[in-house]
């Protein structure tokens, strides 16, 4: 019996990355413009939030809202808390319920799933049923920033990016044949890395050194110190003043590095067919007021991925 050919099911796995997640909007805009319509959308953390707006058909209105966010608006959503996390997250999710989508995931116009993490066991939790707003709230519960979400079954749920930053596996489990993974943390280390200075002696100086007596031995650490400090053309190395990061800076950067490492590991074992990797190292995890920059970079990265995507869609 001959097998009938069917159209492949396309799944979208939107990755975690806090404020960098506004780049997902740009990615989705380009796909819509190009007629690329996923059958399945799932996400971790900020990817779950943007994915919920997309699944509900609210992407255009959601994009208008995020591009109008200023620092004062972002601060207005902060409901400070003394236990479990700096923020309760209730203001944000209440705003979402009032102005965007809150319906049962089972009745979503597009197949939708979100990833969270069980705080007690460390298990990955796939949220496929119940309130889409509740699923988003659990998936974005970044440890230290948002309080965990208590479920009726006794579980405490936190950010899905801890265990599965780009949820390719969830998209496949939901029936996707081709998965587009959007990785927001691929270049995160560029924010902190500096090129090493290369110092080379002129040829004449090198010849003179070979004929003269050897210089006293330098401490073993001297070479490293030279390479780790900037050089001036008119004098010796001058150490650059280093800003001491805040507790929140340390926490956010540590989470970003952790998610980058986990993403590389998981994508090596189960790679998506297409990877969209916006260059977002210039954006901090809490730069929610810089949505226009993130969206534009998401658009650029999505356009760059189209040739690879079309190979699978023939």
């Amino acid at each position: 019996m001959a097998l009938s050919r069917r159209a492949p099911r396309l799944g979208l796995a939107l990755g975690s990355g806090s404020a960098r997640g506004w780049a997902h909007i740009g990615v989705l805009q380009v796909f819509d413009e190009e007629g690329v319509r996923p059958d399945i959308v799932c996400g971790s953390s900020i990817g779950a939030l943007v994915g919920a707006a997309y699944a509900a058909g609210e992407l255009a209105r959601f994009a208008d809202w995020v591009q109008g966010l200023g620092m004062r608006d972002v601060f207005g959503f902060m409901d400070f808390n003394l236990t479990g996390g700096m923020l309760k997250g209730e203001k944000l999710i209440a705003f979402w319920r009032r102005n965007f989508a809150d319906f049962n995931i089972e009745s979503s116009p597009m197949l939708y799933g979100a990833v969270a993490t069980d705080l007690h066991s460390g298990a990955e939790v796939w949220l496929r049923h119940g309130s889409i707003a509740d699923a988003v709230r659990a998936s974005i519960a970044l440890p230290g920033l948002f309080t965990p979400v208590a479920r009726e079954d006794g579980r405490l749920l936190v950010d899905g990016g801890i265990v599965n930053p780009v949820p390719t596996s969830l998209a496949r489990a939901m029936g996707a044949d081709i998965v587009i993974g959007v990785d927001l943390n691929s270049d995160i280390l560029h924010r902190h890395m500096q090129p090493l200075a290369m110092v080379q002696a002129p040829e004449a100086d090198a010849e003179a050194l070979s004929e003269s007596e050897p210089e006293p031995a330098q401490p073993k650490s001297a070479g490293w110190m030279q390479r780790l400090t900037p050089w001036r053309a008119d004098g010796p190395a001058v150490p650059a003043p280093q800003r001491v990061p805040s507790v929140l800076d340390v926490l956010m950067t540590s989470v970003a590095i952790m998610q980058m490492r986990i993403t590389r590991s998981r994508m090596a074992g189960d790679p998506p067919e297409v990877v969209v990797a916006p260059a977002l190292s210039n954006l901090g995890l809490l730069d929610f007021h810089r949505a226009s920059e993130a969206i534009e970079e998401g658009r650029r990265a999505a356009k760059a991925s189209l040739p690879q995507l079309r190979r699978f869609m023939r």
Side-chain angles (χ1 to χ4, degrees):
M1 184 178 78
L3 294 175
S4 60
R5 181 170 180 153
R6 65 174 177 84
R9 302 187 80 196
L10 184 62
L12 196 57
L14 302 179
S16 60
S18 200
R20 299 186 185 104
W22 296 151
H24 289 314
I25 296 172
V27 172
L28 294 169
Q29 288 174 343
V30 168
F31 287 165
D32 276 351
E33 292 164 7
E34 296 291 328
V36 177
R37 182 69 175 173
D39 303 287
I40 297 160
V41 60
C42 57
S44 282
S45 194
I46 191 72
L49 176 66
V50 177
Y54 184 61
E58 294 276 11
L59 184 68
R61 201 160 62 87
F62 185 68
D64 290 340
W65 174 68
V66 301
Q67 288 181 94
L69 284 175
M71 292 190 69
R72 181 174 295 183
D73 301 304
V74 174
F75 190 79
F77 283 110
M78 296 183 179
D79 42 5
F80 291 98
N81 186 56
L82 296 178
T83 58
M86 290 176 57
L87 307 174
K88 290 185 286 186
E90 293 175 3
K91 280 187 178 181
L92 175 61
I93 212 64
F95 179 86
W96 173 269
R97 292 182 198 277
R98 289 194 309 270
N99 295 278
F100 295 104
D102 187 19
F103 50 82
N104 282 341
I105 295 173
E106 298 91 328
S107 61
S108 172
M110 180 184 294
L111 281 176
Y112 172 84
V115 179
T117 305
D118 186 317
L119 186 61
H120 290 147
S121 68
E124 181 177 337
V125 180
W126 291 350
L127 303 172
R128 298 281 317 282
H129 306 283
S131 164
I132 198 168
D134 288 347
V136 168
R137 173 63 183 87
S139 190
I140 66 171
L142 191 66
L145 187 62
F146 286 109
T147 56
V149 172
R151 303 279 285 186
E152 292 180 357
D153 58 5
R155 282 179 160 179
L156 276 179
L157 300 185
V158 293
D159 196 297
I162 295 174
V163 290
N164 199 352
V166 182
T168 303
S169 55
L170 175 54
R172 294 202 196 285
M174 292 170 64
D177 301 302
I178 298 169
V179 178
I180 304 170
V182 185
D183 180 8
L184 303 178
N185 299 310
S186 62
D187 71 335
I188 189 62
L189 287 184
H190 292 180
R191 183 180 176 90
H192 306 283
M193 294 176 70
Q194 297 293 331
L196 296 177
M198 300 296 291
V199 181
Q200 184 173 0
E203 291 183 8
D205 291 345
E207 292 176 1
L209 285 173
S210 64
E211 296 174 359
S212 61
E213 295 182 2
E215 293 186 358
Q218 295 292 326
K220 291 183 178 180
S221 61
W224 286 105
M225 291 303 295
Q226 287 180 351
R227 296 173 66 191
L228 292 173
T229 55
W231 282 79
R232 297 187 316 189
D234 59 344
V238 178
Q242 187 168 2
R243 182 179 68 88
V244 178
S246 68
V247 172
L248 190 58
D249 283 338
V250 172
L251 176 63
M252 294 295 100
T253 302
S254 300
V255 168
I257 292 172
M258 175 194 70
Q259 290 183 350
M260 180 202 66
R261 296 295 186 186
I262 295 171
T263 301
R264 288 182 180 181
S265 176
R266 295 206 59 156
M267 288 177 69
D270 185 11
E273 281 66 33
V274 179
V275 177
V276 182
L280 299 165
S281 62
N282 61 312
L283 292 179
L285 287 175
L286 298 180
D287 285 344
F288 290 100
H289 59 289
R290 298 172 63 185
S292 295
E293 297 173 58
I295 291 172
E296 188 57 36
E297 175 54 25
R299 291 183 62 86
R300 184 208 61 77
K303 289 177 181 177
S305 74
L306 288 174
Q308 183 185 6
L309 177 59
R310 290 190 179 111
R311 289 176 50 223
F312 289 101
M313 301 300 292
R314 289 173 183 168

